[in-house]
Structure formats: structure tokens, C-alpha cells
Amino acid sequence: MRIDSAALLVKDPELREVPDVVGPGEHPTEDRDEIHDIYRGWRAVADTYPGTRVLVGELWVPDIDRFVQYLRPDELHTAFNFDFLARPWDAAELRASIDATLAAHAPVHAPSTWVLSNHDVTRPVTRYGRADSSFAFLDKRFGTPTDLDLGTRRARAAALLTGALPGSLYIYQGDELGLPEVEDIPRELLQDPMHYRSGGVDPGRDGCRVPLPWSGDLPPYGFSTGAVSAAPWLPQPASWARYTVQSEAADPRSMLALYRAALRIRRAEPLGDGPFAWLDDAPEGTLAFRRGDAFLSITNLAGHPVPLPAGELLLASDELGQAADGSRELPRLHGVAPSTAASHGEPSPEKGKTMKSPRTVGAAVLALTALAGVAALSGCSSSGDQPANGQVAITVASLIPGSSDDAFKQFNQRVKEFEKANPDILVKPVEYQWTGPTFSAQLAAGTLPDVFNVPFTDSKSLANAGQLADITSEVKKLPYAGRFNQSLLSVAKNDSGDIFGIPYGPYAYGLSYNRDLFTKAGLDPDKPPTSWDEIRTDAKQISDKLHIAGFMVFTSGNTGGWALTEQTYARGGRMEVTKDGTTTVTADNEQTVDALKFLQKMRWDDDSLGSNFNLDWSGMNQYFGSGQTAMYPSGSDVLTSLVQQNKVDPKDYGLALIPTEGTGSGVLSGGNVAVVAPNASKAEQQASVKWIDFYYMQKLLDKKSAIADAKSLVANKQPVGVPQLPIFDKKQLDTSLGWIDSYINVPKANVAAFQNGIFDQTIIPEPAKHTQELYGALDSVVQAVLTDKNADITALLKGVNTQVQALIDADAK
Amino acid sequence: MTAITTRPSAGRDPALRRRRRRTPLSWLRRGGLSNLVFLLPLLVIFGVFSWGPIVESVVMSFQRTNFVVTQWVGWDNFAALLRDPLVPTAVLNTGWFALLALIFGYPIPLVVAVLMSEVRRARGLFSALAYLPVVVPPVVSVLLWKIFYDASPRGVFNTILGWVGIPPQPWIQSAATAMPSIVLEATWAAAGGTIIIYLAALTSVPPELYDAAEIDGAGIRHKIWHVTLPQLRPVLLVTFILQIIGTAQVFLEPFLLTFGGPANSTLSILQLIFRYAFQNSIGVDYGKATALSLLLALFLALFSFVYFRITKAWSDD
């Protein structure tokens, strides 16, 4: 029999006002000494019945000594212990409460009770996710922020903690489902008088009283069945489908599964009774105690993972981590509980960094461990071979400097998600752009991020030169390691086959064009040119009508040679030929000559290339973004950068295939390799590969990650659906695109010309040897052709041959 | 403190002074230590940021290094320079730049300074106007000129030329006009500083020399030729060598305006050094870069030495 408000049965007969200072037993309505006579009477009645009759008091008596007076042998059998549920998520606080509770109950020989919440109290999942995780009626306010993921992990740990304590365990209905406090009940539907008495500032207690979800996908989730059509008295949230008993019973990782497993162990061990002793040499910040000789409970509230002693693991509330030495450890429960101090608004977004306040970081995982013997315990405190804060911090390349705030917001969101999933890794994003000039100096100075990216063009040379970290073993551990397109993965390997990075975002050359300018020039934007002759006539029409460049190619910063190589491939030529291990530079091949003659005609006969012949990658993007050229060949992924840097609207953007003509013709491909700085420690390298896996790979492999990524891209106004090539195979790419189909915001029709044709093209990699020097030398040739009417193309190309061949031959020596 | 207060009254006795000079103790007593302490910050700063790197780069010119893997290659870097066809191109370009800069950049400030010294009113305003380009950060002014040099008919300069009926010029988009365009910008940017130096020198010319020349019947041309220029000679000689050293190391303007193009027509020596060190992405040619730097430094040192030897007689005159 439960006695509600068990301390409030007796009033002062004189009905005095409540004094300012109330001594023990002096309150006119609460906890008056006369009440004990009543309970003695009731107990006598209860004892007259056969079998087990139990009196349980709902007692809100803060003074633990007065509290246990109700539990004397001739009064109530037991009472709820509200001290424990009011304490914040803090090892010292909880330990003090446990100690006080056990000490007070011992003399009256009553069992202690443990409960995490009841029908008056904020749900533990919500409460433990708050900056202030203690409970007090008077502090309840609307809009107190919480981190439900953090709260859930803590609530799971708390469930196992209470489950291992001696005494009676109470579970408030719904806690076993991990229900959060419902904080968005429409105000007009609130029932609790506490809300109305507070003048509407206190949300009241309805949030923990919402009818339980049992089954199904829609309210009332099986709460009302059959003919009952009336809605429950409080509305159930639409998101509760995942909390139903039905769905949690099917999920081994659910809160319900955890509770059931914990209760089975509690009965089997048996933990309701028996000795209890704190473990003296437990790591700081943990609650570790022994129940008998062979049972150990450890709850980690420290700000870092703690090692787990040897023994059989019965149950853990969270996934175990692995210490550097390979032993198991309890992960720290990592996260930032939203601070109420930061005012009533949302937590302030921090750009570019994620600060962690150690004070608000809680950590919790509980393991019930059956130990082989006490001897094993001594090993537990000495195996802590961790960095001081137990975390590995890595810096990762974020975006190109100058990218929009929205793009950075999106990136930081991904970082937060990663940190949530990997509490032992701290990620610091830094702006980064691959530039040859600064790379070596950054490497020498140790200022490179731990994770950064290099183009396919350079990755192999860097790997061979020892300028990247060898991550072969980490990459091989990835479940999809064997599925990479091997020819792509080879760009990330050195000559001996060790792996130095993970390729991502492969692209093929495409013809970017401005649909708006096409329309203005009287061309059909849905019919981009499909042959080089059409490019020429279209360009002429555009430049005649609009007095801008109809077409333009890169010319400087080595991109001139890069683009000329593509124009050569498109006609079936090659810049370098390797035979029997010897590489010959063939820059003067017929097709390159043709490509340059083609440019020459457009420049000097048609005058359709504009007037700026000094355009590198960024310069060209700017040129295109500001409407000064209508077409240019570039990587098929350039739209992302055009949006982030040059504010190009995907609606005005079109991507077509570069026309391929002649035998051996194909499309130049490229991409990036996510690599790790060679000076990163082993732990940093491991964390780095985890990040690469999360940020670059999972969106291609895992539906949930793909959607999460696409969602945050869309939310931050970034393009989704920029054409790229498959990193595994086309099927995988199509599958991953299918997952995010509804998020694609790059008009499909605008890139259809490219997308529909690219898989029928031969994809050709970049020239292998001294690629950058080759490109640099070709820059000058392109510039000469565009600025000197009488440029001798063949002589210039022969010069390139000599120049680059000398470099290649020097290597062979 | 102690060293100063216990210093002997003075070295009146020559014999005593000689003896003191010889021992470290007397050096100490004469304040050597405090001198050294005062010098120390300077020595450290120059040592760490200037002399150290100089020595380092001399060492590096005999190596092949990417800062991770380093190997000694002896004279290979220098030999490679001799084989590189871009080296003569860069040397000729730099010489061409120096010559053009001398033709435009050397006399123009002098003429402007002489004219300004003749101006009686609002001289401060003219000085400020002349010096303004120097105050503008070089990168800003170069990028501004890059916009002015837009080769389309809508470009700033081409529009201005259009008003007087001159057709659009390619400016930095053609090998023939790129270098003069760069010199024009460089002269505009640097003239202010030189003008101020000349102005200061001009005010130090004693007016009675002009008076005497006038009495002898000299006109303005004679006055400038026979009075002003000879009086300015020491300053002119210094600004000349400074200009040569400066133009030999031209980098910023071609780097930002043309990146050495079109077709290497504005590739300067310093830019070639930059390319060796950085442009091939992997940065394995630091050795070649420092080797070329070393050669340039040696050439300039030698040139300055010879120049001062030759002109010593003139300026002492």
C-alpha cells in the first residue's frame, strides 16, 4: 500500500502560519511528530493480514534522520528516497547521498530504496542532460535547455547504478523506456495546478505524466485500445514511436533491454540484499563498489575514460572503449550540457571551435563485473595509461579560407556529431587549402592540420617523399577497405604499396557553363555544345552578343597545363608515355598541337576568349562567377567551390561533357586524398582515420550518415548533388545518391548532360611523372598562344619536352 | 652598474691605457660588459632572423631537401641552374626591368622633385600627393593596377585611351607590353620615396650658389646642370645603387600582376627562385632556389663593391 504525501497527514490544531524558520517537527502541516502514532496504528492493521503486506510511504522529508523515523520496525515498511533523485550528476554528490541513505537506514533495519524519478519529477533522461542536473520543484522553468543524448547515456548509467545498490529498487513507469520529459505540451492542455499556481512560469509536472507508448507508429501508441476513440488526457509527442514498448523490445540497445538485463542480473546475483563496500582504489570521479566478493559496479562520472579491471563483464550501459594498451575501458560520457546561465535562449553557436567546459562534462558508464577474485582489483588503478584528460585532440582541415559562414556552420555541425559519437576525440577544425608553396613550410614548421587533403596530382609523390603518414594498418581495419576502386586507391599509395591516405570526391573534367548567359546570348541552355566546333560557334555567338569571353581555359598557376592536358585527352593524345619503366614526355603530340591551334583560332580569328589570359583556378572561378566567361572546362565538382566562394546559384549553372573526339580519347579525372600529417602520433593517426571515415566515407556507405550530411548541407544552403565519380563502384554511388535523393538541390536537369554521359567515357588519370612541373611548363605555352599571334606551337611544346624530360631523367639516375 | 662606477677616472696615462686594453679584466672595467649587454638584443635578433637564415641558405644550396629528407648534392644545384633555359630568361627579364625602371624611374622623381622645389605655394600638398602611393600597401596598389590594366575595352586605362581615340591596349596580357606596364606601376609606387629624398637634398643646396650662377648669366638649364645636379651627386649615386639593388630583386609586381607571364615574359630572377622553391607543389627544389639566391646576392655584392670603387672618385670630387 502506497501512502501519498505520507508526511502530511497531521496539521497543527491551531492552524498557525508557517514560520520563517522551521525547526524539526515544528512545521504546521509537514512531518509532525504526532504522525508516527498513526503509522504505528496502520502497521498493526497491516500485520494482521496474512502474507506480505507492505506499507510504502511517499515521503518528502529532506532531513534523513527524521525520514528514517518513519521506517522504525513498527511503522512503515519502506519509503521512497527522494534525496537520491534530487542530487545532480556528480560522483561526490551521489556518493554522499548513498552513504547517508545507507547509514540512516541501518539502525532501523529498513531497506533503503532507490528511485530515479516519480510522477512529480523531471524525467531522468531530460534532467541529466541539463547543465544543472539536480532537481528542485521551485527551479522548474519553461525553456530550460537539455542535451537528450547526454541525458540518455547518463540515465542508462544511473539505471545500472541504482540497480546494483542494496535495498528496494523502484522504477517510475516510462523511465524504463527512456522517455524524455515532454516539454512542448500546448499550454492550454496543461493540467497540473502547480503550473497555474506559479502564474504560468512553472511548466508543472505534466511532462512526466504523459500516457505511455505501447505500440504502433501513431498516438495513442496502443495506450487506448479497441473502441476507445477519445484522445488521452495529455497529448503524446509524434516522436514517441521509437519509445514504444513494442519497438524497444525489439532493439537490444534500447533502454528497455538495458532495464530488463539489469533486473535479471539483480535477481540472479542477488543484489537486493547483502554486503556493500566502496572500492577504495577506484579512479577519481567514479562510483565503484563491491557487492560481495564477486560483484563489482563501476560508474564513470569522470571527465575521461577509466580502465576497466579484469573480469567477466555482465553489462555495460554504453559501448566500451579501448585503451591504448588494448584493455577495455569505460568511455567518458562526453558532451556539453546546455547551460541555463547562457540565458533563456539557445546555446550560443561557436564558430570553428568546440569548447568543453570540464565542469559540465559528465561521464558515465556502468559495468557490472563478476570478478575472479579480489586480486584482480589491484590492477585496475595502475593500468591508466592515458593522456591527462583521456582525449586525443586532432586538428582537421575544414574548408577553403573565405568560404561562407553557412558552409562553416555545416562543417562544425558535422564535427559535433563526430565528437558525440567519439567522445574520446576532440576535433579542432582549421581552414585549409592545398597549396604547394605553403605545404612544405607548414610541414617543416609542424603547423599542418593532422588531417588534410592533397590532390591526386601530388599524393603519390608526397607519399614517396615521406611527407605523409603511413596509415596502412588503420585503413586496412576499415570494413570497406577491400571495396575501394583499386585504381583510385593506388594514387594514395607509395611505390611499395603502403597506404598513405583515402581518396575521396573523385571527379572528371566537365564543361561548366553559365545558363543565364546562354539564354541572354540566344542559345538554349538545355543544349550545351557537344563538339569542339559547337563550342567554338557558341562561344563566338556569346562574345559577339555580350562582349564577354564565350569560352576560356585556365592559363596560370599550373592549371593551364592541367586544362591543356584535358583538352589533349579529349582528342586522344597523351602528355607522357611510359613504356618498360621509362617515361617519355610527349607534349608535342598531334592532339596537343590541335588543341592549341583550336585556342589560337578562337583567340585570334574569333576573339571569343575575352581579354584576360592570366587565370588560375581561383581566378577563373571568380571570372566565371562574375559572369565574365560563359564556359570553361574544370573538375565536375567545382560547383561546390563556386557556391561557397563565388556565390554562384546552382540554378544558373550547367555542366556538360567535354567533347571527346578521335581514338584513345577520354576524360581527365582527378580527386582528393584525405591524408594524415607525418608528425601525428599513433593515437592521433588512429583518431584521424576515424575522422576521415566519418567525414569523407560514411556519407557514401551509410544511409543515416548520408542523410545527416545531406540534411546539414541543405540546412546551411550548400549544394547537394554535385556530380562526382564513384570511389567504390557505380552501384554504391547510385545507392548513396538514392538515399539523399529528396535533399538534392542542384537541379538535376542542369547537370544531366554530364551525368548521363560520363559513365560511357574512358577515364584517364593525370600524367604520372613531374606532373606539376609539366603543367607549369605548359602554362607558358598556353599563355604564349593566347597572347602572341605568331606563337610557334611546335617549338614551344618541344621546349616543354626537353625541360620536363630532363627532370624525369635526373630521377632515373 | 659596478662596471661603470669603478671605471678608472680616465686613461690619461697612455702606457696604462695600452696595458688595460690588452687584458679581459680591463675590457670589463672599461664597460665592455655593459656594451655587450646593450648589443645583445640586436645580435640575437640579427643572428636568429638574419644571419642564421643566411648561413642556413648557403648550406641548403648544396642540398636536396624537402625538410623531411635531406641529402648532400654538392654543386648539382648550381650545375642545374646553368642548364635551365629559364635562368637566362629571368636574368634578361630582370635586366630589362632594371633598364626600363632606370629610364622611367630614375629621372622622373628627380624632375618632379626639382619642379616641386620651385613651387612656392602648397608645397606640403604636393609632397603629400607625391608620397601617397608609398603609403598605400603595395599589394593593394598592385591589385588596383591589375584592375586598371583590364585589357578589355571596358578597362579603366583603355576607357581613358578611348576618349582620345587610342585603341585598347593589351597591357599585361601581351609579352611586349607587360614589362613596361609593370615598370609603370612600380615607378608610380616607388617615386614618392625618392622624391622626398631629392627634395631634402635640394633644400640643402646653398642658395648663394644659384645667386652666383645668376650673376654669371646662367639660365634655368645651366643652373640645374651646373649647380643642382653636382650638388645632388652624392645622393644621386646612392639612390642609383639602391635602385639597381631594388630592381634586381623585383618580385611583388610581376608576381601579383602577371605571375611571370605571359609566357615567362615577366619572369624575374626572384620569381624564378620562388618557382623553384614552391611552385612544383612538392617543394623539392629548395636547394636550387637557395643556389640562385646565393648567386644573385654575390652578384649584387660584387656590383656594389665595384660601383662604389668607381664612383668614389666622383663623389669625393
Side-chain angles (χ1 to χ4, degrees):
Chain A
M1 184 173 128
R2 174 182 178 279
I3 302 139
D4 194 73
S5 301
L8 309 183
L9 299 192
V10 179
K11 314 263 183 300
D12 181 351
E14 318 226 330
L15 300 176
R16 269 188 279 258
E17 291 298 314
V18 181
D20 289 341
V21 183
V22 190
E26 288 172 3
H27 194 284
T29 61
E30 294 177 10
D31 186 29
R32 298 186 63 82
D33 292 334
E34 306 91 288
I35 200 168
H36 296 288
D37 296 331
I38 297 177
Y39 289 132
R40 284 193 195 99
W42 289 12
R43 175 65 176 260
V45 176
D47 286 346
T48 61
Y49 283 81
T52 311
R53 294 287 184 274
V54 183
L55 298 178
V56 184
E58 189 221 17
L59 275 171
W60 286 96
V61 177
D63 182 336
I64 192 90
D65 291 322
R66 288 195 64 85
F67 173 84
V68 295
Q69 288 187 15
Y70 290 80
L71 306 177
R72 285 174 288 196
D74 55 347
E75 296 191 33
L76 301 177
H77 292 89
T78 181
F80 294 118
N81 171 17
F82 294 118
D83 179 66
F84 185 78
L85 71 67
R87 298 277 185 149
W89 184 253
D90 176 274
E93 287 269 357
L94 292 179
R95 181 170 176 151
S97 178
I98 293 168
D99 279 340
T101 305
L102 292 176
H105 283 73
V108 294
H109 302 288
S112 307
T113 63
W114 310 102
V115 69
L116 290 175
S117 77
N118 77 349
H119 60 279
D120 291 332
V121 176
T122 311
R123 291 273 188 192
V125 163
T126 302
R127 177 164 63 90
Y128 284 138
R130 288 192 166 145
D132 177 5
S133 54
S134 63
F135 176 80
F137 280 111
L138 296 178
D139 292 345
K140 288 185 82 173
R141 286 296 173 268
F142 281 109
T144 312
T146 185
D147 177 346
L148 284 183
D149 287 328
L150 180 66
T152 303
R153 295 180 68 202
R154 287 174 170 178
R156 288 172 66 90
L160 296 200
L161 169 65
T162 50
L165 288 168
S168 327
L169 178 64
Y170 289 83
I171 298 165
Y172 174 56
Q173 58 156 357
D175 281 3
E176 78 283 9
L177 299 174
L179 293 184
E181 184 86 357
V182 183
E183 302 192 281
D184 54 359
I185 300 172
R187 302 231 176 165
E188 66 275 13
L189 296 180
L190 288 177
Q191 312 268 342
D192 187 4
M194 266 193 167
H195 164 67
Y196 296 100
R197 270 187 240 137
S198 74
V201 297
D202 182 336
R205 299 164 294 183
D206 291 323
C208 65
R209 298 175 174 183
V210 174
L212 297 195
W214 290 91
S215 59
D217 292 331
L218 292 168
Y221 303 110
F223 181 78
S224 317
T225 49
V228 183
S229 59
W233 73 93
L234 287 170
Q236 296 161 303
S239 60
W240 271 18
R242 63 192 172 107
Y243 292 114
T244 60
V245 176
Q246 189 185 34
S247 87
E248 291 203 13
D251 178 2
R253 290 172 307 170
S254 68
M255 188 70 98
L256 185 61
L258 181 81
Y259 264 87
R260 285 177 171 169
L263 290 178
R264 268 196 296 275
I265 292 168
R266 186 175 169 85
R267 256 184 227 115
E269 286 301 321
L271 302 174
D273 223 336
F276 169 96
W278 291 110
L279 203 64
D280 293 328
D281 53 359
E284 185 121 345
T286 60
L287 294 174
F289 52 84
R290 235 178 293 156
R291 298 295 313 282
D293 290 337
F295 185 94
L296 183 67
S297 160
I298 306 175
T299 309
N300 181 13
L301 293 90
H304 52 84
V306 297
L308 200 58
E312 181 201 349
L313 178 73
L314 294 179
L315 186 59
S317 69
D318 217 319
E319 263 174 58
L320 291 187
Q322 200 164 45
D325 60 0
S327 64
R328 298 173 303 179
E329 59 183 14
L330 297 179
R332 100 202 187 93
L333 211 177
H334 155 98
V336 188
S339 166
T340 35
S343 101
H344 322 288
E346 56 269 53
S348 59
E350 287 166 296
K351 185 184 157 186
K353 59 180 180 184
T354 39
M355 292 292 296
K356 308 272 174 323
S357 156
R359 285 189 55 214
T360 54
V361 170
V365 160
L366 175 109
L368 299 167
T369 311
L371 287 168
V374 183
L377 286 178
S378 54
C380 106
S381 56
S382 58
S383 65
D385 187 15
Q386 315 282 333
N389 65 359
Q391 271 190 319
V392 181
I394 52 168
T395 48
V396 304
S398 61
L399 301 167
I400 300 177
S403 297
S404 66
D405 283 355
D406 288 333
F408 280 109
K409 238 166 66 193
Q410 194 268 338
F411 189 89
N412 289 339
Q413 210 169 313
R414 299 293 292 163
V415 168
K416 283 218 178 87
E417 287 162 22
F418 175 76
E419 287 182 330
K420 202 168 266 177
N422 295 277
D424 51 339
I425 301 173
L426 190 71
V427 174
K428 188 172 169 269
V430 292
E431 294 182 8
Y432 171 86
Q433 180 170 26
W434 161 260
T435 54
T438 48
F439 170 75
S440 299
Q442 278 191 302
L443 174 60
T447 55
L448 273 177
D450 292 315
V451 180
F452 58 99
N453 53 281
V454 301
F456 281 11
T457 326
D458 296 311
S459 48
K460 210 178 189 71
S461 315
L462 292 170
N464 279 326
Q467 290 173 295
L468 304 174
D470 181 348
I471 50 171
T472 312
S473 58
E474 274 73 35
V475 173
K476 291 229 162 118
K477 271 184 224 149
L478 295 171
Y480 47 85
R483 289 170 53 201
F484 281 107
N485 176 334
Q486 286 304 311
S487 72
L488 280 186
L489 188 61
S490 76
V491 300
K493 291 180 178 171
N494 67 2
D495 289 342
S496 1
D498 305 317
I499 303 171
F500 287 78
I502 296 180
Y504 71 91
Y507 60 81
Y509 243 88
L511 181 70
S512 291
Y513 65 97
N514 185 324
R515 294 173 59 88
D516 187 39
L517 294 178
F518 262 58
T519 312
K520 282 189 182 139
L523 292 165
D524 182 352
D526 291 328
K527 290 207 178 90
T530 54
S531 69
W532 286 101
D533 288 336
E534 279 179 43
I535 288 181
R536 192 176 162 190
T537 49
D538 285 359
K540 178 100 177 77
Q541 184 169 338
I542 292 165
S543 74
D544 284 350
K545 282 224 169 126
L546 306 175
H547 308 290
I548 54 164
F551 176 82
M552 188 48 197
V553 290
F554 295 118
T555 52
S556 83
N558 295 2
T559 58
W562 179 51
L564 183 62
T565 303
E566 156 60 23
Q567 295 165 66
T568 302
Y569 286 1
R571 292 168 167 87
R574 297 291 183 276
M575 288 295 183
E576 287 177 359
V577 175
T578 301
K579 209 175 161 193
D580 304 331
T582 13
T583 302
T584 315
V585 184
T586 54
D588 60 340
N589 68 80
E590 199 184 312
Q591 291 81 5
T592 306
V593 175
D594 281 351
L596 288 169
K597 278 188 178 152
F598 180 78
L599 290 177
Q600 210 168 31
K601 277 188 213 130
M602 290 184 82
R603 166 74 177 98
W604 300 105
D605 298 348
D606 301 350
D607 193 19
S608 57
L609 298 184
S611 52
N612 190 344
F613 311 112
N614 194 349
L615 292 164
D616 61 4
W617 191 78
S618 320
M620 178 69 102
N621 290 349
Q622 211 178 329
Y623 200 63
F624 178 79
S626 57
Q628 296 182 75
T629 183
M631 289 182 265
Y632 75 112
S634 185
S636 61
D637 62 338
V638 73
L639 178 59
T640 302
S641 196
L642 288 174
V643 172
Q644 288 180 352
Q645 309 263 310
N646 310 103
K647 305 198 165 54
V648 166
D649 185 343
K651 280 206 302 291
D652 297 333
Y653 174 86
L655 184 70
L657 283 177
I658 307 246
T660 43
E661 294 166 5
T663 47
S665 63
V667 184
L668 175 65
S669 68
N672 276 291
V673 184
V675 295
V676 180
N679 47 7
S681 71
K682 197 74 196 158
E684 285 165 349
Q685 288 182 15
Q686 283 165 351
S688 295
V689 172
K690 272 191 189 165
W691 166 256
I692 293 172
D693 171 50
F694 169 85
Y695 181 69
Y696 297 102
M697 292 293 125
Q698 282 308 318
K699 56 184 158 196
L700 302 172
L701 294 158
D702 175 53
K703 185 173 177 183
K704 235 173 90 187
S705 306
I707 290 173
D709 179 69
K711 244 185 191 167
S712 81
L713 283 170
V714 168
N716 293 300
K717 300 172 202 118
Q718 301 302 304
V720 178
V722 176
Q724 53 171 315
L725 295 184
I727 199 84
F728 299 104
D729 51 39
K730 183 167 186 301
K731 209 175 127 219
Q732 177 70 44
L733 181 66
D734 289 342
T735 311
S736 66
L737 286 173
W739 293 331
I740 56 166
D741 193 62
S742 55
Y743 296 97
I744 289 177
N745 56 11
V746 174
K748 281 183 192 165
N750 292 6
V751 295
F754 177 86
Q755 203 77 303
N756 296 341
I758 191 61
F759 291 102
D760 301 330
Q761 297 286 340
T762 314
I763 301 295
I764 308 171
E766 292 177 277
K769 303 276 177 176
H770 286 273
T771 321
Q772 296 284 8
E773 287 99 331
L774 172 72
Y775 287 169
L778 290 171
D779 270 3
S780 302
V781 181
V782 181
Q783 289 174 12
V785 167
L786 296 179
T787 59
D788 177 6
K789 204 172 179 170
N790 303 314
D792 182 346
I793 292 174
T794 318
L796 287 166
L797 290 175
K798 280 203 161 38
V800 172
N801 276 0
T802 321
Q803 207 180 325
V804 182
Q805 193 68 52
L807 295 169
I808 294 175
D809 293 348
D811 288 347
K813 267 193 286 182
Chain B
M1 223 29 208
T2 325
I4 292 164
T5 47
T6 57
R7 188 160 57 182
S9 50
R12 283 199 192 94
D13 180 348
L16 196 64
R17 198 164 61 209
R18 258 200 310 282
R19 199 167 62 241
R20 270 187 196 131
R21 247 185 217 145
R22 282 195 201 111
T23 70
L25 188 67
S26 64
W27 173 81
L28 200 68
R29 284 199 177 137
R30 288 168 56 81
L33 193 63
S34 53
N35 289 349
L36 192 67
V37 169
F38 278 117
L39 260 177
L40 209 57
L42 193 77
L43 291 177
V44 168
I45 289 169
F46 268 87
V48 170
F49 294 108
S50 191
W51 302 322
I54 289 175
V55 173
E56 179 88 355
S57 66
V58 171
V59 171
M60 213 187 276
S61 65
F62 294 97
Q63 293 174 333
R64 189 180 166 88
T65 180
N66 59 14
F67 295 136
V68 177
V69 186
T70 300
Q71 67 186 105
W72 285 90
V73 295
W75 293 97
D76 279 10
N77 290 326
F78 295 90
L81 286 181
L82 292 182
R83 285 195 305 268
D84 190 337
L86 283 180
V87 173
T89 308
V91 170
L92 287 177
N93 284 341
T94 309
W96 178 227
F97 177 84
L99 186 69
L100 285 174
L102 209 60
I103 294 169
F104 296 116
Y106 194 61
I108 288 176
L110 183 60
V111 172
V112 173
V114 170
L115 289 177
M116 274 170 63
S117 69
E118 295 299 316
V119 172
R120 291 284 172 262
R121 286 153 100 204
R123 204 146 122 191
L125 177 71
F126 283 109
S127 307
L129 282 178
Y131 201 67
L132 208 56
V134 185
V135 181
V136 180
V139 174
V140 175
S141 60
V142 172
L143 292 180
L144 271 178
W145 277 71
K146 195 171 182 175
I147 296 170
F148 297 162
Y149 278 147
D150 182 348
S152 73
R154 294 183 305 279
V156 175
F157 286 163
N158 281 341
T159 307
I160 294 170
L161 291 183
W163 294 339
V164 289
I166 302 175
Q169 297 299 308
W171 301 109
I172 53 174
Q173 305 292 350
S174 141
T177 52
M179 193 62 97
S181 303
I182 290 176
V183 171
L184 194 62
E185 192 281 333
T187 305
W188 172 84
T194 324
I195 289 172
I196 296 294
I197 295 174
Y198 289 149
L199 271 179
L202 283 172
T203 51
S204 68
V205 178
E208 50 272 27
L209 291 180
Y210 292 110
D211 292 342
E214 260 176 54
I215 287 166
D216 290 343
I220 178 86
R221 262 177 43 223
H222 282 100
K223 271 197 285 182
I224 289 174
W225 187 252
H226 292 288
V227 179
T228 311
L229 288 181
Q231 284 295 315
L232 288 183
R233 190 187 289 150
V235 176
L236 286 174
L237 291 175
V238 171
T239 52
F240 182 83
I241 188 73
L242 286 180
Q243 165 128 14
I244 294 294
I245 294 175
T247 51
Q249 302 189 50
V250 63
F251 176 75
L252 182 79
E253 289 84 1
F255 180 74
L256 288 174
L257 278 175
T258 62
F259 211 77
N264 295 327
S265 60
T266 58
L267 179 74
S268 71
I269 295 175
L270 244 69
Q271 236 193 313
L272 185 60
I273 292 170
F274 177 85
R275 278 197 192 177
Y276 284 152
F278 301 122
Q279 209 185 343
N280 74 354
S281 289
I282 327 285
V284 288
D285 262 352
Y286 295 109
K288 224 157 124 190
T290 48
L292 186 54
S293 313
L294 200 64
L295 291 182
L296 178 65
L298 283 177
F299 168 77
L300 288 178
L302 202 69
F303 179 83
S304 307
F305 178 76
V306 172
Y307 176 81
F308 280 114
R309 262 300 167 82
I310 294 171
T311 58
K312 199 168 187 303
W314 304 346
S315 44
D316 284 353
D317 184 23

